[in-house]
Amino acid sequence: MLIFALAVRKVFLNMLLSALKKLTSKTKTTMDDKLVEAVDPPGKLLMIVIALYFVFRVLLINVSGDSFGGHIIRTLFIFTLFWMIYRAAGIIAHLFEGLAKKTETDLDEMLLPFINKGIKVIVVIVGITVIAKEWRYDLGALLTGLGLGGLAFALAAQETLANMFGGMTIMLDKPFSVGDWILTPDVEGIVEDIGFRSTRIRTFAQALVTVPNSTLAKTAVTNWSKMGKRRINFNLRIKYQTTAEKMNKLLEKIREMLENHAEIHQQTIFVFFDKFGDNGYELFFNFFTKTTAAQRFFEVKEDINLKIM
């Protein structure tokens, strides 16, 4: 009978799934397509469990009450059910993803991996609990019996929990987002992914650096992508043979050039005769470009230098 059930399972389920896929392909949403894919493997297992039930009945194996055969059949049914729910958890995450794209903030999109994994963890825990109750087993007694083993596990999991809370801190405080250019004491580059345990950063040498979230949450992070303007700061040495009249004219012309430059932020422009240096007069320059993009910044800086020349 079990062999017959396997043959029926292959033919019947293939026909059923083929019909369902044709039906769902006609709808506008992809949720039903994903649901059919999710129930496919558990559905095949369910057919085997049903066949096993009838095999037990034919062999006069008791499958009712507290019998061993009954526990086996019900455990397999419970496992199949929660396996189906576990696979369907991805559909719930997909639904949240669609809603997240309609919002202006990217916080909910960053939380999607946590939601997806959180739902799956809950399903697994509930499934284990239900199966344990089926076998009349007290999980509380098991956890109590673990004793020092449980303590050792908790200590081992401390770093993982620290990284999880670090990830939550990053997502709530938002010191940076995916795509931002950041600098830490250990690494500089573009954020590629903010995960459940760690953050991946692509350096400018194209190396991929994985940093634990707990480390990022407690270190200083400079987010260059959040700059509203970009600073240019330097000293320029002028030979001592330069007269005061020429110096005044030079400073006046440079200030006028910067004040009329379309790419220079007008709020803060410092151009001053700063001090008498060892080998000449020293001028002090401090101003900001409107652009923060690296290539455009250097183009503007080059243009300023040429105009000063």
Side-chain angles (χ1 to χ4, degrees):
M1 181 172 287
L2 188 59
I3 297 174
F4 174 75
L6 291 174
V8 170
R9 181 198 71 164
K10 187 172 182 179
V11 176
F12 175 74
L13 278 181
N14 286 344
M15 291 176 58
L16 179 61
L17 289 172
S18 178
L20 288 174
K21 287 179 180 178
K22 286 182 180 179
L23 185 64
T24 56
S25 64
K26 297 178 181 179
T27 61
K28 295 181 179 180
T29 179
T30 59
M31 298 293 289
D32 45 8
D33 300 275
K34 292 182 180 294
L35 182 60
V36 171
E37 292 177 6
V39 301
D40 185 2
K44 293 176 180 178
L45 178 60
L46 181 61
M47 293 294 293
I48 296 177
V49 175
I50 294 173
L52 190 62
Y53 171 79
F54 285 108
V55 168
F56 279 13
R57 295 295 298 268
V58 170
L59 296 176
L60 301 179
I61 298 176
N62 187 10
V63 292
S64 61
D66 289 333
S67 64
F68 181 77
H71 285 309
I72 291 292
I73 295 297
R74 287 192 294 272
T75 298
L76 289 174
F77 268 114
I78 293 169
F79 175 80
T80 303
L81 174 63
F82 278 94
W83 186 18
M84 195 177 297
I85 297 173
Y86 180 89
R87 288 178 60 86
I91 301 175
I92 300 174
H94 181 72
L95 178 62
F96 276 109
E97 184 179 355
L99 294 174
K101 289 180 179 178
K102 296 179 181 178
T103 61
E104 295 181 359
T105 177
D106 57 353
L107 175 61
D108 40 12
E109 294 179 8
M110 296 169 66
L111 288 173
L112 283 175
F114 287 87
I115 295 173
N116 188 21
K117 293 177 183 178
I119 293 173
K120 290 182 176 180
V121 168
I122 292 172
V123 171
V124 171
I125 293 174
V126 174
I128 293 174
T129 304
V130 174
I131 291 175
K133 286 186 177 180
E134 170 60 34
W135 290 89
R136 304 290 189 272
Y137 202 86
D138 186 5
L139 286 180
L142 173 63
L143 295 174
T144 303
L146 288 175
L148 293 176
L151 178 60
F153 176 79
L155 291 174
Q158 183 176 3
E159 185 176 349
T160 300
L161 290 173
N163 287 325
M164 289 172 56
F165 283 112
M168 291 297 295
T169 301
I170 290 171
M171 292 183 180
L172 292 173
D173 289 349
K174 296 182 67 176
F176 55 83
S177 304
V178 173
D180 283 356
W181 167 22
I182 67 170
L183 169 68
T184 75
D186 301 312
V187 63
E188 180 178 12
I190 306 299
V191 179
E192 283 200 352
D193 179 64
I194 302 172
F196 196 66
R197 191 196 70 84
S198 60
T199 294
R200 291 198 293 271
I201 301 170
R202 180 75 64 179
T203 69
F204 296 114
Q206 292 304 300
L208 187 63
V209 181
T210 301
V211 185
N213 286 333
S214 59
T215 302
L216 283 175
K218 60 185 179 183
T219 193
V221 178
T222 302
N223 191 333
W224 295 114
S225 296
K226 301 298 184 184
M227 291 185 296
K229 52 187 178 180
R230 194 163 179 178
R231 183 183 182 187
I232 296 178
N233 177 272
F234 63 93
N235 289 323
L236 179 63
R237 185 179 299 141
I238 304 296
K239 62 182 181 180
Y240 273 131
Q241 289 78 7
T242 305
T243 64
E245 182 182 358
K246 287 184 177 181
M247 180 72 77
N248 276 325
K249 189 174 183 180
L250 173 64
L251 292 171
E252 182 181 339
K253 290 183 69 174
I254 292 177
R255 288 173 186 142
E256 182 181 358
M257 180 268 293
L258 291 175
E259 288 169 358
N260 290 282
H261 200 292
E263 294 292 335
I264 298 303
H265 202 285
Q266 297 300 307
Q267 186 175 1
T268 306
I269 298 177
F270 292 149
V271 179
F272 293 103
F273 172 21
D274 185 34
K275 62 183 178 181
F276 298 90
D278 293 335
N279 299 306
Y281 305 121
E282 291 194 9
L283 308 185
F284 170 74
F285 293 83
N286 186 81
F287 51 93
F288 295 84
T289 64
K290 293 180 179 178
T291 181
T292 59
Q295 181 172 340
R296 183 59 185 153
F297 167 77
F298 285 110
E299 290 173 352
V300 174
K301 188 174 181 181
E302 179 183 84
D303 180 62
I304 296 296
N305 289 339
L306 291 172
K307 282 182 167 60
I308 289 176
M309 286 180 64

